[in-house]
């Protein structure tokens, strides 16, 4: 038996102004927004609300320390609605603030604290990658464990995901590239997940199609953000979120988390470092079922034969982000068995969604090949 659900309600606003008029944010509201986004898009908004510039509390990827620091700032203030405007970092973090109790964070993540939602939550993405606005997953680096872990629980669903393409206008190319690569990988990993269904594959495939067609345009026009693509990429990212929220992500994400946590590599870029090699490894074991379907689908989009899709995809993606080797990120070879241990022992949630099971030797082999 399997279930398919689309939660939360999804609203598209044509502009930041329309959003402000519709939601009337003020007293009793908590708004997470960076100073830059606020200045550019919400200059005269949020009067009376508690506004937190989360960038003051985080450098790069979100951690348990960031959650605990912000919790102290909020203190005992009465909050009934939370609006989070930003990338995956802040959307994931905001999900934890909608809970009755979120600290100590390690107890929430290890199950000692049961997640209970007691505030309304509105998530507004400003990147086109995480799909966090439609998932019940929060990913954090737990600093004691030195890896990223995901907490998945129904209490983490937002009440509303609000898409405002205008907010992506000032996204620098490198963030656009890394976040959209993350969305593409969500779509592909969920497509080949054993939990995928006819329903999830519709969303995976639609996301893959939009992103690949956008990447082809970027390849022909040079490395830049093309404004006419923003709405499509934001939609694709939400589609991919719906797909992986139901079918899950897998080994690409699992292998990238130790790198992201240890070397502070942006999430989408860290995923890209492993993407093609994980699929080459799958292909060396088996290529039937969902892998065969994926090959046929990609072959049409990339105008190549099914057996050539991984090479063609890699060529296209290298135009968007240039893959670095692990040692270029500062990884030392002795760390690879530790990374492998983290993947095998702590990332079971993701590794259970692999197209085919990958054992310790295969995982270490991927790390060594990419070193
Ligand atoms: Fe991701």
């Amino acid at each position: 038996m399997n279930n398919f659900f689309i939660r939360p309600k999804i609203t598209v606003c044509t502009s930041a102004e329309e959003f402000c008029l519709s939601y009337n944010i003020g007293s009793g509201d908590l708004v997470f927004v960076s100073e830059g986004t606020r200045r550019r898009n919400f200059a005269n908004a949020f009067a009376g609300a508690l506004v937190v510039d989360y960038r003051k509390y985080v450098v790069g990827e979100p951690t348990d320390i960031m959650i605990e620091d912000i919790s102290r700032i909020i203190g005992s203030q009465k909050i009934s609605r939370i609006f989070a405007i930003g990338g995956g970092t802040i959307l994931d973090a905001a999900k934890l603030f909608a809970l009755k109790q979120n600290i100590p964070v390690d107890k929430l993540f290890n199950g000692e604290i049961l997640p209970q939602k007691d505030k309304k939550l509105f998530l507004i993405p400003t990147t086109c990658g995480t799909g966090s606005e439609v998932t019940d997953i929060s990913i954090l680096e737990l600093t004691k464990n030195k890896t990223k872990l995901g907490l998945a629980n129904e209490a983490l669903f937002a009440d509303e995901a609000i898409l405002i393409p205008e907010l992506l206008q000032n996204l620098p190319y490198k963030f656009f590239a890394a976040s959209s690569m993350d969305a593409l990988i969500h779509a592909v990993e969920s497509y080949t997940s054993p939990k995928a269904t006819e329903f999830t594959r519709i969303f995976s495939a639609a996301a893959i199609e939009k992103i690949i067609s956008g990447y082809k345009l970027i390849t022909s026009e040079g490395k830049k953000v093309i404004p006419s693509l923003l709405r499509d990429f934001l939609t694709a990212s939400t589609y991919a979120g719906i797909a992986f929220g139901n079918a899950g992500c897998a080994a690409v994400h699992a292998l990238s988390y130790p790198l992201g946590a240890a070397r502070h590599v942006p999430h989408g870029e860290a995923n890209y470092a492993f993407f093609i090699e994980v699929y080459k490894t799958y292909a060396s074991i088996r290529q039937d079922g969902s892998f065969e379907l994926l090959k046929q689908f990609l072959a049409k989009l990339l105008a190549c034969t099914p057996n050539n899709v991984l090479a063609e995809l890699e060529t296209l993606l290298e135009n968007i982000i240039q893959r670095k080797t692990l040692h270029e990120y500062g990884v030392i070879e002795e760390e690879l068995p530790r990374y492998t241990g983290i993947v095998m022992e702590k990332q079971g949630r993701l590794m259970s969604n692999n197209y085919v099971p990958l054992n310790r030797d295969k995982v270490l082999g991927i790390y060594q090949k990419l070193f």
Side-chain angles (χ1 to χ4, degrees), residues 158-291:
D159 294 278
E160 214 170 316
I162 304 168
L163 307 184
I164 314 173
E166 181 186 275
L167 297 184
L168 274 64
Q169 268 171 2
N170 292 294
L171 195 59
Y173 176 79
K174 72 173 190 172
F175 295 113
F176 169 84
S179 67
S180 58
M181 192 68 75
D182 186 29
L184 176 66
I185 293 169
H186 293 155
V188 172
E189 290 214 280
S190 56
Y191 193 97
T192 54
S193 163
K195 292 187 195 141
T197 66
E198 296 90 330
F199 296 95
T200 63
R201 286 214 184 96
I202 285 181
F203 287 91
S204 292
I208 293 169
E209 193 166 0
K210 277 183 188 292
I211 295 169
I212 287 192
S213 126
Y215 280 177
K216 282 184 181 172
L217 191 64
I218 290 168
T219 299
S220 64
E221 299 213 351
K223 280 189 182 180
K224 60 180 182 190
V225 180
I226 300 174
S228 62
L229 290 178
L230 293 179
R231 187 177 175 128
D232 264 0
F233 271 64
L234 184 56
T235 309
S237 159
T238 303
Y239 284 173
I242 292 168
F244 90 82
N246 282 279
C249 285
V252 178
H253 275 74
L255 269 76
S256 91
Y257 283 150
L259 173 69
R263 301 290 155 188
H264 302 289
V265 181
H267 175 65
E269 187 183 330
N271 279 340
Y272 178 55
F274 298 99
F275 180 32
I276 299 294
E277 197 55 42
V278 165
Y279 276 78
K280 282 183 185 166
T281 307
Y282 288 157
S284 72
I285 302 171
R286 222 176 69 201
Q287 301 190 28
D288 57 358
S290 61
F291 202 104

Side-chain angles (χ1 to χ4, degrees), residues 2 25 44 78 83 157 168 179 185 203 296 345:
N2 54 54
I25 296 170
N44 300 310
K78 208 105 197 93
F83 291 83
F157 272 121
L168 274 64
S179 67
I185 293 169
F203 287 91
Q296 286 174 13
E345 283 136 36

Side-chain angles (χ1 to χ4, degrees), residues 16 19-20 23 25 30-43 45-46 49-55 82-95 121-127 133 160 162-164 166-168:
F19 163 73
C20 291
Y23 292 85
I25 296 170
L30 166 62
V31 183
F32 288 111
V33 63
S34 74
E35 189 49 41
T37 300
R38 187 179 187 187
R39 206 174 340 105
R40 273 190 302 273
N41 302 97
F42 303 100
F46 313 147
L50 173 62
V51 179
V52 174
D53 177 4
Y54 59 90
R55 284 190 200 276
I82 298 177
F83 291 83
I85 306 166
T89 298
I90 198 54
L91 303 194
D92 276 14
K95 291 173 182 178
L121 178 64
F122 301 80
L123 299 180
I124 302 108
T126 58
T127 64
E133 65 278 7
E160 214 170 316
I162 304 168
L163 307 184
I164 314 173
E166 181 186 275
L167 297 184
L168 274 64

